[in-house]
Amino acid sequence: MGKAFQYSGQVIVYAAIAAFIGYFASRPIYHQFPEGHAQIKLSFAHGAARAKECRRLTSQEIAKLPPNERRPNTCERARIAMHVQLDLDGKIIYDARLEPTGLAGDGPARAYQKFAVMPGPHKLIARLRDSRDTNEFDYETHHEVVLEPGQNLAVDFKSDAGGFIFR
Amino acid sequence: MEIIRASLRSLFDRAERGLGLFFPPHWNPMLNLGALGFYFYWIITVSGIYVYIFFDTGVTQAYSSVEYMTHDQWYAAGVMRSLHRYASDGLILVMLLHIAREFALDRYRGVRWFSWVTGVPVLVMVYAAGITGYWLVWDRLAQYVAIVSTEWLDRLPIFGEPIARNFLSPASLESRFFTLMVFMHIAVPLIALIMLWVHLRRVSKPRINPPRGLAIGALASMLVLSLVHPALSQGPADLARVPGAVGLDWFYLPLYPLLETWPGPVTWGGAATLMLMFCVIPWLPPLRKPPVAKVDLANCNGCMRCFNDCPYNAISMHMRSDGLPFEREAVVDPSFCVSCGICAGACPTATPFRRASELVSGIDLPDMTVAQLREEVELAQTKLKGNARILVFGCDHGVSLKGSENGTVCSVALRCIGQLPPSFIDYVLSKRLADGVVLTGCAENSCHARYGTQWTDARLARERDPMLRARVPRERIRVLWAGRSGRGQLDALLTRFANDLAAMPADASPVHKSAEREASKELIDG
Ligand code: HEM
Ligand code: SF4
Ligand code: SF4
């Protein structure tokens, strides 16, 4: 077999490998999201109320504690579940009771959800209940928005900022 | 498992032979996968250092610094960027082939578990390095990678605050996470390199540099690819928008669509099962290992030939322990030994001419000793007739020798062709046990025991101890490195050789009567 044949064969093999690498390095295109839709992304972590109210320790109980740990109150660590609702144009698209995280159930509850919606004008209402002994929502925020195709609307929650934040 | 291995093996055999049409054996990419992996690693390192000089590690400036490299400095930093990407893809390609090939050739069980299991973290780290690399560009693909990766991590219920929140909206983006990625992208490959060093602890003289011809070809093809099809970014990341259509790198990210859509328990469970499978596969089922090589101190003079030839670092030389007047002695570590017998083929005491004393090699396989080999040779040749009698020495991993045998051809099988001491060839020809000798084994450069064929070639060429004696007529020896699929080649060679032998004038020199004396002389020379 001639050298020329061998070398041209090698060139073809290298070209084929290079083409293979070059193509699959970025093709075929992956459509991870329905074409022409917009997205609403709900994402936050929030600690709901403790399952039991803090109570005052009796003076005997305080006396039993080591001197450096004496304090007037005691609090159970476990939290209740948080209730979250998202209403889109009068239809409830999300309604969940989210359990606290952490082994002792004392961590914040986490919400993370994505919704693909049609672009255009929308009315959104986000609601959250994080307190004990009531069936009312503690927070409710209304938001009107005109979504463009491909837009990502984030729905965040911060209690110290007064509730839900849309951005 | 057996069936998967066998079918994979025939695929590799075919690919090897196909490439063999164009590539000489030592340049064949399929036979240099590990070395190509290292080579790509070095290309990635050099190009990586170069692009890092121009890279801005702030999350907001990263994209524009990469754009600058690709467009304003396309001839240097741009090419380096492309090389960095394509060599990384090449690394995945050769690494996956390397894994599949070691599996297909059954070189992952028994004591080889070590190389296999230490490869697994390398595999994970190479992927982690690639994924963090795509993150750094901070284009739409990076955004997609960031979101899917963090969402996937968040499916493990261990983080209080979802990490994906870092990528919720432009306002939540912080450079803290980005800095971590830059750090990981440098640290992970370095750890992988250390792990690769461990990976090669149990093979001696690992082939980590591809032959020059292959190195030039691989670099040239990556360079040409980088020039005609440069690596590009996919538009700046924008957390206010969904990264709808992305051009995925299917070498690194083929599972991302699944991570995104399949439920957490399935993807995490699947990943854990896959990793576990990878780690335990060398014992599914375990290799029934033949007994390992044993040293017979009374016959070992500490010459170190076995130490130099063992392909698996299984032999070490220790201080003499038995009072014989030699400096050193060979010691076998059973947990490294693959029972290939190459050491027996290297030992100067393993010469069939020894008659005065019992034939015991300084180092030998207990279940397939050199003495047994001599008996087999003597028995096999009794079936031969005519003036073109051929004795074939083959190995368990080459062409099956049955079926080639007839009145003029007989065969003796070895664990590895490297197990054959060259003095056996001398023995067969000088004692006229046969008129010609054929050695056959794995395809060139693809020896199952790594160095069997290479050492055999060197011993015959008198380049490596123990050498074939100069008096042996070369025209009566043929060598065929063809692997399992070399049946046709072997039969053709046997026919031609028989004709050649029949045409040779009968050797006039007398059978060496002094053979025994010479053998002991060889021992002392050794
Ligand atoms: C970047 C990644 C890797 C590189 C550069 C690499 C490189 C190498 C090299 C150079 C050798 C020695 C080959 C020789 O000289 O005969 C080798 C052997 C081996 N590799 Fe890898 N390797 C990589 C990943 C892996 C992975 C992921 C696995 C398996 C999970 C693996 C399994 C093995 C095995 C089993 C051997 C031993 C072969 C034998 O015993 O003959 N390698 N590797
Ligand atoms: S049998 Fe092979 S692996 Fe074992 S000590 Fe001898 S040469 Fe090394
Ligand atoms: S080759 Fe034989 S004589 Fe030399 S060190 Fe090894 S066992 Fe001893």
Side-chain angles (χ1 to χ4, degrees), chain B residues 1-2 5 102-117 280-289 312 335-338 448:
Chain B
M1 200 64 91
E2 199 64 52
R5 213 163 37 224
E102 299 305 330
F103 173 79
L105 268 56
D106 203 355
R107 296 205 295 192
Y108 64 103
R109 299 190 292 160
V111 300
R112 282 154 159 135
W113 70 268
F114 182 87
S115 304
W116 180 272
V117 172
V280 300
I281 211 167
W283 293 273
L284 292 180
L287 190 70
R288 286 221 325 280
K289 194 176 124 173
Y312 288 94
S335 64
F336 281 46
C337 174
V338 303
H448 189 81

Side-chain angles (χ1 to χ4, degrees), chain A residues 62-75:
Chain A
I62 294 176
K64 264 195 237 154
L65 291 169
N68 58 340
E69 286 177 22
R70 283 183 190 156
R71 57 190 190 279
N73 292 319
T74 181
C75 296

